């Protein structure tokens, strides 16, 4: 029976890892559909390469930083419990690799390729696992202190804060240090619209992410005995709430409509195992409206050229989700309970501080040493030709 249980757990978490791995194709197509045509190839190459660099960084350094577990043993040791620790690493790697995938959308179209890969390595090896260890592995006694002080630990079931808020707030300094795409904002105060190059590809990316998210959330139980249908139902309700709120707030704009479910799902990750479905609907709805409002504000008022809106989508909606778990997870609002508001708030703020400081150090050093941005001619020609020497539609080129 023990062998059957461990084998079932391995299959369970492996399927979750595969679903979240599939989400990375969603990141790729969401970015491809949003950027201009001359940067589509770069979007595809970045996501795949970032994932590969993340794997090396997390395998050799990051996983050990977060959990104190390494893989420098013989394969005979690694296959114990049907290799459960290996599949758990794979599952958590797909979470860690989401950080550079999130950043990629913010810095699209004007970032150099190799410096971003270097940043990916540093973020996944050190910055992300540093906070991951605090939140999910009792590092530095922070969770114990929160429980002693407020009667409950910080609760983030599937990573609203650990993954999404961290990713969004890590992206913000990178976007600010890079500056806006050439011609996006004029000195006279004008704004040049850069509409999505392909709504169908954008929608495809959003759908892949949405479907994969049910693996992201449900399989965060990590063992089959802890699986909960409540997580699936809450994910569904938050997705629907985010979609409808973005539809209304975004006035039928298809870009907003397809980012709405993502906003809702980002926000529900933290409390998906403890909220009532009606609470999840509200949390998702607030997130959908928050994304539309803050995306518009950052782009048009503050003139921050965050191409995919990753700071409002992941950074702000993730932070909202972490705090919302402390509200809607309470028994007074139909939740399971066992949480407290202050630990949620304190750890969300801590994540933001670690993300901002770590990101400014990594991207600041890279900017000062090797530079972050393509030169004006390369940016004008597009990241596809400048970095990869081919466009997404080469048969249309004049020299074909």
């Amino acid at each position: 029976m023990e062998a059957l249980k461990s084998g079932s757990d391995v299959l369970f978490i492996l399927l979750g890892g595969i679903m979240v791995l599939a989400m990375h194709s969603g990141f790729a197509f969401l970015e491809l559909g949003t950027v201009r045509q001359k940067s589509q190839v770069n979007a595809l190459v970045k996501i795949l390469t970032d994932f590969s660099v993340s794997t090396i960084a997390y395998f050799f350094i990051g996983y050990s930083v977060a959990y104190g577990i390494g893989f420098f043993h013989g394969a005979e040791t690694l296959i114990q419990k049907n290799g459960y620790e290996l599949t758990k690493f794979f599952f958590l790697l797909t979470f860690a690799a989401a950080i550079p995938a999130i950043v990629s959308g913010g810095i699209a179209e004007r970032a150099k390729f190799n410096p971003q890969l270097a940043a990916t390595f540093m973020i996944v090896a050190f910055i992300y696992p540093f906070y991951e260890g605090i939140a999910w592995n009792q590092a530095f006694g922070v969770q114990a202190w929160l429980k002693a002080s407020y009667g409950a630990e910080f609760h983030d079931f599937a990573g609203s804060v650990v993954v999404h808020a961290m990713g969004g707030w890590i992206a913000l300094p990178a976007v600010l240090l890079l500056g806006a795409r050439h011609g996006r904002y004029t000195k006279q105060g004008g704004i040049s619209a850069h509409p999505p190059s392909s709504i169908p590809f954008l929608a495809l990316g959003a759908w892949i992410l949405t479907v994969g998210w049910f693996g992201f959330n449900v399989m965060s139980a990590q063992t089959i005995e802890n699986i909960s249908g409540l997580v699936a139902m809450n994910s569904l309700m938050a997705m629907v709430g985010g979609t409808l709120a973005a539809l209304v707030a975004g006035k039928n704009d298809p870009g907003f409509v397809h980012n709405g479910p993502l906003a809702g799902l980002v926000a529900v990750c933290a409390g998906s195992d403890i909220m009532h479905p009606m609470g999840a609907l509200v949390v998702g709805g607030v997130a959908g409206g928050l994304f539309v409002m803050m995306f518009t504000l950052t782009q048009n008022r503050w003139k921050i050229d965050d191409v995919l809106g990753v700071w409002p989508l992941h950074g702000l909606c993730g932070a909202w989700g972490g705090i919302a778990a402390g509200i809607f997870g309470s028994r007074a609002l139909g939740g399971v309970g066992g949480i407290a508001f202050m630990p949620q708030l304190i750890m969300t703020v801590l994540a933001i501080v670690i993300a901002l400081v770590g990101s400014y150090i990594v991207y600041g050093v890279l900017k000062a040493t090797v530079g972050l941005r393509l030169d004006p001619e390369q940016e004008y020609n597009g990241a596809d030709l400048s970095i990869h020497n081919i466009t997404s539609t080469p048969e249309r080129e004049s020299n074909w």
Side-chain angles (χ1 to χ4, degrees):
M1 289 301 292
E2 185 62 33
L4 179 63
K5 180 186 180 304
S6 62
S8 300
D9 288 341
V10 166
L11 179 60
F12 176 71
I13 201 168
L14 177 62
L15 291 173
I18 292 168
M19 289 182 73
V20 185
L21 175 62
M23 290 175 70
H24 287 262
S25 66
F27 281 120
F29 280 97
L30 187 72
E31 183 174 332
L32 183 156
T34 305
V35 299
R36 288 172 293 182
Q37 196 168 30
K38 62 183 179 180
S39 296
Q40 289 181 330
V41 172
N42 182 240
L44 295 172
V45 175
K46 273 194 303 178
I47 299 299
L48 180 58
T49 313
D50 272 337
F51 185 88
S52 301
V53 171
S54 297
T55 301
I56 300 299
Y58 202 60
F59 182 82
F60 286 102
I61 303 172
Y63 195 68
S64 180
V65 170
Y67 299 102
I69 296 172
F71 299 104
F72 297 97
H73 313 287
E76 202 171 291
T77 304
L78 298 178
I79 61 170
Q80 291 178 0
K81 294 183 180 178
N82 299 81
Y84 176 78
E85 284 298 332
L86 298 177
T87 46
K88 182 180 177 183
F89 162 81
F90 172 48
F91 181 69
L92 291 171
L93 161 69
T94 59
F95 280 49
I99 303 294
I102 290 167
V103 174
S104 175
I107 64 173
E109 299 206 62
R110 74 274 201 205
K112 286 183 177 179
F113 189 62
N114 291 335
Q116 171 53 23
L117 294 183
T120 291
F121 186 91
M122 297 301 293
I123 288 165
V124 177
F126 299 106
I127 299 171
Y128 168 77
F130 176 74
Y131 182 78
E132 182 185 16
I134 293 172
W136 285 346
N137 195 44
Q138 303 289 328
F140 305 109
V142 176
Q143 289 280 38
W145 172 75
L146 289 170
K147 186 164 188 178
S149 302
Y150 302 102
E153 294 182 352
F154 168 66
H155 184 89
D156 189 355
F157 182 70
S160 284
V161 178
V162 178
V163 178
H164 298 287
M166 283 290 288
W169 287 91
I170 285 171
L172 182 60
V175 170
L176 295 174
L177 287 166
L178 265 175
R181 287 168 289 177
H182 182 72
R184 181 79 171 95
Y185 306 111
T186 67
K187 292 180 180 178
Q188 293 74 32
I191 300 174
S192 174
H194 291 350
S197 59
S198 173
I199 294 294
F201 274 137
L202 185 158
L204 174 65
W207 268 110
I208 294 170
L209 284 165
T210 299
V211 173
W213 224 297
F214 287 83
F216 193 99
N217 284 0
V218 175
M219 268 75 165
S220 285
Q222 297 189 17
T223 57
I224 203 160
E225 67 184 354
N226 291 325
I227 192 171
S228 171
L230 180 65
V231 177
M233 187 64 181
N234 284 343
S235 300
L236 174 68
M237 297 301 280
M239 167 206 157
V240 169
T243 303
L244 295 177
L247 174 71
V248 174
K251 300 175 182 176
N252 302 334
D253 182 288
F256 285 138
V257 170
H258 286 95
N259 275 282
L262 310 184
L265 285 161
V266 164
V268 82
C269 288
S272 56
D273 63 326
I274 57 173
M275 292 180 189
H276 190 280
M278 287 190 286
L281 181 66
V282 174
V283 169
V286 170
L290 179 66
F291 169 72
V292 173
M293 180 180 72
M294 294 307 298
F295 179 88
T296 306
L297 193 63
T298 52
Q299 298 280 337
N300 298 344
R301 183 74 60 82
W302 297 341
K303 294 182 169 55
I304 298 172
D305 193 15
D306 176 357
V307 181
L308 268 68
V310 298
W311 177 64
L313 180 64
H314 297 275
L316 295 181
C317 291
W320 156 242
I323 294 167
I327 301 169
F328 291 90
S330 65
R331 286 194 176 93
L333 292 176
V336 173
I339 46 88
F341 178 78
M342 284 306 294
Q344 301 301 119
L345 179 63
I346 290 169
M347 284 290 283
T348 300
V349 171
L350 179 63
I352 291 169
V353 171
I354 292 171
L356 288 176
V357 172
S359 180
Y360 264 114
I361 291 171
V362 169
Y363 286 102
V365 169
L366 286 169
K367 182 177 181 178
T369 52
V370 296
L372 291 175
R373 186 162 181 154
L374 297 171
D375 66 42
E377 184 178 356
Q378 290 174 322
E379 187 179 342
Y380 176 79
N381 290 331
D384 292 356
L385 277 176
S386 299
I387 297 172
H388 309 290
N389 300 311
I390 193 169
T391 67
S392 59
T393 53
E395 71 278 5
R396 295 183 185 177
E397 301 300 323
S398 57
N399 62 345
W400 176 257

